[in-house]
Amino acid sequence: AKYIPSNNSRLAFIQGRNDAREDENQSTFQNNLMDEITLYYMRDLRVREVYGFLPLLGHGALIKRSTFIELGKFPQVVSEDFAFALIAASKGYDSVHAYDAKSYETYPYDFGSFIIRIKKFAGGTAEIIKKCLFNFLVSEAKLVEKWDFLIMLFWYILIPLIVANIFVGAYVTHNYWLNETPYIHPILPYVYAYLLISILTIILSLGRKNFSSAFKFYLWTTSIYSASMPVIAFNFLK
C-alpha cells in the first residue's frame, strides 16, 4: 500500500517483484537458471520504471479497478498484460514498481518447458507488434517509453536475422579460410571479453553468487537462449 501515491488519479497499476522459488524437488535446469527471475525484477524493471517502459507482467501486480474499466479491461490478445500496459501508457497513465513487495514463481522445469514458454512469448510479441505497436508509437506516451518498448520488441525481430546470419556467416568465413584471408579483427576477442565481464558484474551485484557461479550462470543462459533461437524465430515469423 505504501507505493500507492497520494494523488493516484493517473495510476494504472503497481507491479510487484517476483523472486525464484526454491524447492527441494527442483531440477538441475532450475537450479542453474532460477536467478534469471531475480535479475529481471531487481535490475531490469527497477531501471525501466525510471528510464523506460514498465510492463505489467500478469502476476504479482495490483491494478486500479477504475482505470482498468476505463481503459476497456484486458485486450483480447495472448500477451494481454503487456497490451494493457501499452494502452495505459498511451493514455498518459503512470505505473509503479513495488520492488520490495515480493512474490515467488518457479522457473521452467526443463528445456522442453522453457521452449513452450518462449514460443508463447515469441508469438505474443508478434501479435503485439501487429495489433498494438503503431497506436502506441503515435500516442501521447513518453518518448522514452516508446523507445524502450521498441528495444524490448526488437530482440524478437532480430532473432530471425541472427539465425540467418549464423549460416551466412559460416559460409562466408569458411570461404575466407579457404583463401587464407584473415576475417576477424584482432581487437574483437577483447571487445567480447569486456562485454562478458560487464554482464558478470550485474549478476554479481545480486550478492548471491561468486565469480565462478556467476560465470556458470552466464554459460547456461547463453546456451539455452542460443539453442532456442531457431524455435523463437520460427514462432515469431509464423
Side-chain angles (χ1 to χ4, degrees), residues 53-186:
F53 171 78
L54 179 66
L56 176 67
L57 296 168
H59 50 275
L62 185 68
I63 303 173
K64 188 177 178 185
R65 185 176 184 273
S66 59
T67 305
F68 185 63
I69 294 170
E70 181 184 338
L71 295 178
K73 304 179 183 178
F74 285 129
Q76 296 298 307
V77 294
V78 171
S79 297
E80 78 289 338
D81 43 8
F82 261 66
F84 178 79
L86 281 175
I87 293 170
S90 68
K91 301 290 186 182
Y93 282 87
D94 298 321
S95 53
V96 177
H97 180 216
Y99 57 86
D100 59 356
K102 186 164 66 172
S103 305
Y104 293 90
E105 65 176 276
T106 304
Y107 201 82
Y109 185 78
D110 52 22
F111 186 67
S113 305
F114 174 83
I115 286 294
I116 290 171
R117 188 180 71 165
I118 205 74
K119 284 168 65 176
K120 180 201 166 193
F121 288 173
T125 300
E127 187 181 33
I128 287 283
I129 291 172
K130 182 179 178 181
K131 295 185 176 181
C132 306
L133 182 60
F134 178 77
N135 290 335
F136 179 65
L137 292 179
V138 298
S139 72
E140 61 183 88
K142 299 171 187 173
L143 180 60
V144 70
E145 291 179 313
K146 297 175 183 178
W147 176 247
D148 188 39
F149 188 66
L150 278 175
I151 292 173
M152 294 168 92
L153 292 184
F154 265 80
W155 187 79
Y156 287 94
I157 294 171
L158 287 173
I159 285 179
L161 301 176
I162 293 169
V163 173
N165 185 63
I166 290 169
F167 294 97
V168 174
Y171 172 78
V172 170
T173 52
H174 175 68
N175 279 277
Y176 274 139
W177 180 74
L178 291 176
N179 294 324
E180 298 184 353
T181 304
Y183 52 88
I184 295 180
H185 194 282

Side-chain angles (χ1 to χ4, degrees), residues 44 46 76 141 143 178 182 189-190 224-225:
D44 197 307
R46 286 193 72 174
Q76 296 298 307
L143 180 60
L178 291 176
Y190 295 99
I224 65 158
Y225 280 101

